[in-house]
Amino acid sequence: MYKMPICVLQLSRVVMNHKLWAVFIITFKFMSFVSIMFYWRITEDAKSKTLLYGLPLDVKCPRSVPSPPSAESGRPPPPPGDIFFVETSERTNPSFLFMCSVESAARAHPETKVVILMKGLANRNFTLPKHWGFSLLSCFPNVEIRPLDLNDLFSGTPLADWYLVAQHRWEPYFLPILSDACRIAIMWKFGGIYLDTDFIVLKNLKNLTNVLGTQSKYVLNGAFLSFEAKHKFVELCMQDYVDNYNGWIWGHQGPQLLTRVFKKWCSIRSLRSSKSCKGVSTLPREAFYPIRWQDWKKYFEVVSSSELHRLFKNTYAVHIWNKKSQGTRFEITSKALLAQLHSHYCPSTYGIMKKYF
């Protein structure tokens, strides 16, 4: 019988020992990583709970809440269409930035209904949880909070069949992708204005119709949308969403979708070739994205009042890039750019932050 040479046996043992040692090291590193992430999660939860428990459940309505104009004011009614915010996760505890977004929109549009759609309310028989944010928003007569029924929203659109399948499978970016679907479905069915919950509104937006914002010279962004109901451009967006669906590429169903549909709409290869065609317009970056996402830390830097005016003189609403900036701490009474925006455009939320943050 053939016997394996001793040197080969020794080499095999060495290789096996190395394999076992490699497996041990990989397992140890993985468990260490999991332990660190678990520790961070507990620490962050503890911090957030400490902050949350220090907040009141009810707040008094501030004196500065604007009232809608009376019928005798003589001013023409605003263009039709509500302003929509959407929360596609199960969260029902709005953050300070979320609150500032809604408050700034409500103050800039006292004649317009501001609608918050929350998926987490869909299974609560529409009873709002006790939260200071809901208490404060109830002070604004033009703000409504409604449950988000996704099956109802997507019914009658090309997105209905997609959602029936998508809700039962795992994808890495499903929540932002679901938000992308919601905003174009809302624009198609109801028209009006859609805003992400990390915008701070500086000016009235009702003079903008069938408009998108430019994020860069290469791409549009759907964090702000303003369209008439049943607009053909939005219909093409819904169809492209389904026909070219790819849930594994970040932005493919959002900014990239709007960019490729606009190029087809205008028969162009580059966004620099056209800013407006067939009744749809794109506004320059300064209108909604004056600070690029790569420069998000600028929001936490101290700036003078003159620089604040210079930065936003051509801006309707400021996108804060919450995906990058969330969790960054700042002194609310400082001259940090974000603190000044809160102070000027959502003073009621700012007052709560000063007292408890």
Side-chain angles (χ1 to χ4, degrees):
M1 179 181 289
Y2 173 78
K3 291 185 178 181
M4 186 179 294
I6 294 175
C7 62
V8 175
L9 285 172
Q10 290 176 339
L11 179 62
S12 299
R13 290 192 189 101
V14 170
V15 170
M16 286 301 296
N17 286 337
H18 277 288
K19 283 186 177 179
L20 290 172
W21 184 244
V23 170
F24 172 77
I25 292 174
I26 292 171
T27 303
F28 176 78
K29 288 187 174 181
F30 175 75
M31 294 304 295
S32 299
F33 173 76
V34 170
S35 300
I36 292 170
M37 293 301 294
F38 184 67
Y39 171 78
W40 283 349
R41 180 65 180 269
I42 291 175
T43 304
E44 289 302 314
D45 285 349
K47 288 179 181 178
S48 63
K49 286 178 180 177
T50 300
L51 179 62
L52 177 64
Y53 292 152
L55 290 166
L57 295 179
D58 295 293
V59 296
K60 292 182 180 180
C61 289
R63 297 177 183 177
S64 60
V65 172
S67 299
S70 63
E72 291 79 25
S73 65
R75 285 189 290 180
D82 300 333
I83 297 174
F84 293 92
F85 291 92
V86 176
E87 177 57 71
T88 52
S89 76
E90 297 294 334
R91 287 189 60 180
T92 55
N93 54 335
S95 66
F96 285 120
L97 182 55
F98 184 115
M99 289 296 303
C100 187
S101 298
V102 177
E103 180 184 346
S104 64
R107 288 183 178 278
H109 306 85
E111 303 174 344
T112 302
K113 190 180 297 180
V114 178
V115 180
I116 307 169
L117 298 172
M118 305 188 81
K119 183 174 181 286
L121 299 177
N123 299 319
R124 298 178 59 94
N125 296 321
F126 194 38
T127 56
L128 289 176
K130 286 286 186 179
H131 188 276
W132 71 271
F134 296 128
S135 177
L136 178 59
L137 291 178
S138 68
C139 301
F140 290 84
N142 58 332
V143 173
E144 288 188 11
I145 304 168
R146 303 175 189 168
L148 173 61
D149 186 328
L150 292 168
N151 288 308
D152 182 62
L153 175 61
F154 295 142
S155 66
T157 77
L159 301 169
D161 291 338
W162 162 81
Y163 181 64
L164 285 176
V165 176
Q167 63 182 316
H168 298 298
R169 68 187 178 210
W170 182 87
E171 291 178 1
Y173 308 122
F174 184 68
L175 278 181
I177 283 172
L178 183 59
S179 176
D180 291 330
C182 286
R183 68 192 67 184
I184 55 178
I186 288 169
M187 290 295 96
W188 166 253
K189 282 196 164 184
F190 310 112
I193 294 171
Y194 166 86
L195 289 167
D196 272 0
T197 56
D198 56 351
F199 259 114
I200 297 179
V201 180
L202 313 187
K203 301 173 184 175
N204 191 289
L205 307 170
K206 295 297 287 185
N207 63 322
L208 304 176
T209 307
N210 303 330
V211 170
L212 306 90
T214 302
Q215 177 180 316
S216 71
K217 60 184 179 181
Y218 302 111
V219 68
L220 304 176
N221 193 305
F224 158 83
L225 295 171
S226 178
F227 278 91
E228 298 168 319
K230 306 296 189 295
H231 197 282
K232 183 65 177 178
F233 180 86
V234 181
E235 181 182 356
L236 291 175
C237 288
M238 291 192 296
Q239 197 59 54
D240 186 281
Y241 189 101
V242 175
D243 292 344
N244 299 302
Y245 184 77
N246 188 330
W248 293 84
I249 301 176
W250 175 261
H252 184 79
Q253 301 300 116
Q256 297 296 337
L257 179 149
L258 294 168
T259 304
R260 61 180 177 263
V261 172
F262 184 78
K263 287 179 178 179
K264 291 177 185 176
W265 180 261
C266 295
S267 301
I268 57 176
R269 298 184 65 181
S270 168
L271 292 180
R272 286 174 286 186
S273 301
S274 178
K275 304 299 180 186
S276 178
C277 72
K278 300 179 185 177
V280 177
S281 302
T282 62
L283 294 183
R285 182 172 64 83
E286 292 75 19
F288 296 99
Y289 313 100
I291 294 177
R292 303 180 307 159
W293 68 265
Q294 297 94 327
D295 303 323
W296 64 269
K297 291 182 180 179
K298 177 75 173 178
Y299 287 114
F300 302 92
E301 296 176 4
V302 172
V303 299
S304 64
S305 298
S306 59
E307 186 178 2
L308 185 77
H309 174 73
R310 180 187 62 79
L311 279 170
F312 303 133
K313 64 180 181 179
N314 297 317
T315 301
Y316 284 92
V318 182
H319 195 238
I320 307 300
W321 305 110
N322 189 51
K323 186 176 185 297
K324 291 287 184 181
S325 63
Q326 62 181 337
T328 305
R329 306 280 291 185
F330 65 98
E331 180 59 50
I332 190 61
T333 57
S334 70
K335 290 294 182 181
L337 179 53
L338 188 55
Q340 292 192 61
L341 288 172
H342 277 77
S343 174
H344 294 326
Y345 299 103
C346 54
S348 299
T349 301
Y350 178 75
I352 297 290
M353 294 178 74
K354 276 203 306 182
K355 193 172 182 180
Y356 296 99
F357 191 43

